[in-house]
Each structure stands twice: as structure tokens, then as C-alpha cells.
Amino acid sequence: MPIKVCLDQILAKRNVTSKALAEHVGITTANMSLLKQGKVKGIRFATLESICEFLECQPGDILIYDQDERES
């Protein structure tokens, strides 16, 4: 899939744990783990909004389109 989730990098830059983010967003740590690994088929805008609010970032900081992935 050409969409990459870069949540780990943002969490590390902000010195925030996955657990703290999951609690703020209102999802389980298991679902947060799946999201961080890019093993989800989609994400609700409300969830994305809550993540961006907590991490003070833009959606483009978390989700990256890699065209080369589509070709392989």
C-alpha cells in the first residue's frame, strides 16, 4: 500500500507514549498499535483529528504517500 503511517516518528519527537495517545483519542492500545504498524484499512477523521490535536501536527505529518510502493 502506498500510504505509510509515520506515527512512531511523531511520537518519538514529541516524547509521547502510544498509551497516552490512545487514552486521549479514546481507542485501545491494541488498535493504536495496529494503526502505528499501518495494519488498518482506514481511519476515521475524528480519530485523525484527535491525534493531530494531541500531537500538535498535521495529517500529512502522520500519513505519507509513497508512489514507489504502488509500483512494486
Side-chain angles (χ1 to χ4, degrees):
M1 176 177 277
I3 303 293
K4 299 292 178 191
V5 179
C6 302
L7 200 49
D8 274 339
Q9 294 89 336
I10 301 295
L11 288 170
K13 283 181 187 177
R14 302 290 196 278
N15 199 26
V16 174
T17 65
S18 295
K19 183 178 179 182
L21 180 58
E23 287 174 2
H24 175 79
V25 172
I27 63 175
T28 65
T29 53
N31 282 338
M32 181 59 68
S33 178
L34 290 172
L35 179 59
K36 284 179 18 182
Q37 295 173 45
K39 294 186 178 182
V40 295
K41 298 273 184 195
I43 183 171
R44 293 176 185 231
F45 282 141
T47 302
L48 184 58
E49 177 183 358
S50 188
I51 290 170
C52 289
E53 173 191 343
F54 189 74
L55 296 176
E56 299 178 352
C57 67
Q58 295 294 313
D61 297 330
I62 298 169
L63 303 173
I64 299 190
Y65 176 73
D66 183 0
Q67 187 171 1
D68 293 336
E69 278 294 315
R70 185 179 257 330
E71 295 169 0
S72 37

